[in-house]
Amino acid sequence: MKKLEELGEFGLIDRIKSQTSLKNTTSFVGIGDDAAVIDQGSHYSLLSTDLMVEGVHFDLAYHPLKHLGYKAVAVNVSDIAAMNGIPKQITVSIAISNRFGLAAVDELYEGIHLGCEAYNVDLVGGDTTASRAGIVISVSVLGEVTKDKLVLRSGSRENDILCVTGDLGAAYMGVQVLEREKQEFLANPNMQPQLENKSYLVGKQLKPDARMDIIHELAEKGVVPTSMMDISDGLASEILHLSKASGNGFTVFFDNIPIENLTLETSTEFNINPVVAVVNGGEDYELLMTIKQEDYENIKGILDLTPIGFVNNEKMNWLVLNSGEKTEIKAPGWK
Ligand code: ADP
Ligand code: MG
């Protein structure tokens, strides 16, 4: 038997998937997309869940509980957006150690309720338990999509245009800034954190937003992407998911990827190659989608949606750098 670390996260999910069979005809899409798709006859329900573990996904030394609550909602909503769906309900389960008091739980739920307001979803249940150490938060989300609007990871066709929302790399640089401040604070607790001029990056890391605005704009323009997913693990990793799901290859032009100046400046300051921050850095929670060429005119008015590449006919995935140099996008390691 292979070792768990050899398999990696995605290998493990593939293994679980291969051991799973769907019995109910209503289980339209199971493991492998951003959300499961349940056939309700008149429409599809969408179901997704995400787990956040203290010390793995967040560090309370710099992640305010209120922001954490908001983020827990946003990252789940993001997976419904990635199916072109509308989120409706969430459940929230928490495990907390006796290190935390009532005020801490209130702060967490303040953020959760803000997230529910922002995305128009209802908190309808959950579970509460003790933990030996730290906080674990698990959110599940239920959404809806009409049958003609469902978008899977697999639907791209050759020559489709690859587009991304917002800008990339900011959340990755945000966590670098927060880590640096934490180390400086540990060395000198009287020091005041210097975060004001990095607030965009830090905000993207601590309190990302799901791009429901883009889902509504696409609907207004009558455009249904051919494939879509959200960027949680980083552009390179998500390109490989879209590629595997569709059997197609993608060509991405680095030059076309929207990157904030602050992201570039900060990567220089930290001696980090911007390609690493933008292509491999995760947690942007932007949407990555393919659209038909004929829809391009229609999406031009959507300001925060940028073409960054296309579906090639080589079945290989390429990143074309500004210099013209072409490198193959390869599988990332275990996280
Ligand atoms: P995302 O980053 O969009 O939340 P993940 O990479 O976490 O997606 O998961 C990819 C797919 O694998 C999803 O369909 C998810 O439901 C499924 N999945 C992840 N972990 C498990 C698990 N332990 N058992 C069954 N399915 C899983
Ligand atoms: Mg996702």
Side-chain angles (χ1 to χ4, degrees):
M1 193 186 279
K2 259 193 167 183
K3 285 199 178 128
L4 190 53
E5 56 264 36
E6 283 173 67
L7 218 52
E9 179 188 347
F10 301 130
L12 178 61
I13 294 173
D14 282 346
R15 185 185 161 93
I16 296 171
K17 186 177 176 176
S18 71
Q19 296 163 340
T20 306
S21 58
L22 301 177
K23 289 170 292 296
N24 295 306
T25 51
T26 47
S27 304
F28 183 57
V29 176
I31 298 170
D33 218 301
D34 291 280
V37 184
I38 317 297
D39 193 340
Q40 305 285 17
S42 58
H43 66 281
Y44 293 124
S45 286
L46 302 166
L47 179 60
S48 184
T49 190
D50 258 299
L51 190 60
M52 292 169 69
V53 179
E54 184 180 357
V56 178
H57 300 98
F58 58 91
D59 185 337
L60 288 180
Y62 51 69
H63 212 144
L65 282 162
K66 189 169 159 183
H67 287 17
L68 191 65
Y70 188 93
K71 181 171 180 174
V73 178
V75 302
N76 274 276
V77 168
S78 182
D79 278 323
I80 298 300
M83 311 300 289
N84 204 26
I86 307 293
K88 297 286 178 181
Q89 287 89 15
I90 59 166
T91 60
V92 176
S93 301
I94 52 169
I96 31 173
S97 73
N98 56 13
R99 197 177 105 220
F100 298 93
L102 186 58
V105 179
D106 278 352
E107 206 190 315
L108 177 72
Y109 272 82
E110 211 184 308
I112 291 172
H113 289 301
L114 279 174
C116 288
E117 282 304 311
Y119 302 111
N120 200 25
V121 298
D122 295 321
L123 171 61
V124 294
D127 197 14
T128 308
T129 174
S131 97
R132 286 284 183 84
I135 285 199
V136 176
I137 306 164
S138 171
V139 177
S140 297
V141 60
L142 191 61
E144 275 178 20
V145 62
T146 56
K147 288 193 163 177
D148 55 336
K149 285 203 173 144
L150 176 71
V151 180
L152 302 179
R153 290 180 178 182
S154 56
S156 66
R157 297 281 176 271
E158 260 174 50
N159 300 319
D160 281 355
I161 303 168
L162 181 70
C163 297
V164 72
T165 63
D167 60 276
L168 299 186
Y172 180 84
M173 288 318 304
V175 83
Q176 310 304 318
V177 169
L178 289 163
E179 277 294 335
R180 180 180 70 183
E181 292 301 312
K182 181 186 170 184
Q183 295 313 323
E184 288 183 4
F185 178 79
L186 290 174
N188 176 11
N190 295 323
M191 201 206 74
Q192 287 298 310
Q194 303 286 315
L195 296 173
E196 292 78 33
N197 60 349
K198 305 284 189 199
S199 61
Y200 179 71
L201 308 180
V202 167
K204 274 287 259 193
Q205 172 58 227
L206 299 180
K207 195 178 165 290
D209 262 306
R211 299 310 303 260
M212 284 307 302
D213 56 331
I214 299 287
I215 298 308
H216 294 302
E217 281 196 76
L218 286 168
E220 276 164 31
K221 307 244 185 261
V223 173
V224 178
T226 54
S227 69
M228 181 153 61
M229 68 183 298
D230 69 334
I231 303 181
S232 49
D233 294 323
L235 179 67
S237 171
E238 315 307 18
I239 289 285
L240 293 174
H241 282 306
L242 289 182
S243 177
K244 193 175 171 199
S246 63
N248 288 321
F250 291 77
T251 302
V252 181
F253 299 100
F254 187 75
D255 219 5
N256 291 5
I257 300 174
I259 309 168
E260 277 293 311
N261 273 335
L262 187 59
T263 303
L264 291 173
E265 282 162 30
T266 310
S267 71
T268 309
E269 189 184 324
F270 278 73
N271 242 320
I272 291 174
N273 184 342
V275 179
V276 171
V278 169
V279 178
N280 298 106
E283 296 212 286
D284 290 304
Y285 294 101
E286 296 294 342
L287 294 170
L288 183 66
M289 67 187 80
T290 52
I291 59 158
K292 291 186 198 124
Q293 297 232 359
E294 67 218 54
D295 280 330
Y296 183 60
E297 281 303 313
N298 287 327
I299 62 122
K300 266 188 173 166
I302 306 180
L303 289 179
D304 222 11
L305 188 62
T306 311
I308 59 167
F310 66 97
V311 182
N312 64 41
N313 58 8
E314 300 167 66
K315 303 204 182 296
M316 288 186 63
N317 298 297
W318 299 109
L319 178 68
V320 182
L321 295 175
N322 304 5
S323 58
E325 187 196 336
K326 212 169 143 182
T327 55
E328 195 185 342
I329 301 173
K330 293 215 187 75
W334 166 259
K335 293 199 298 186

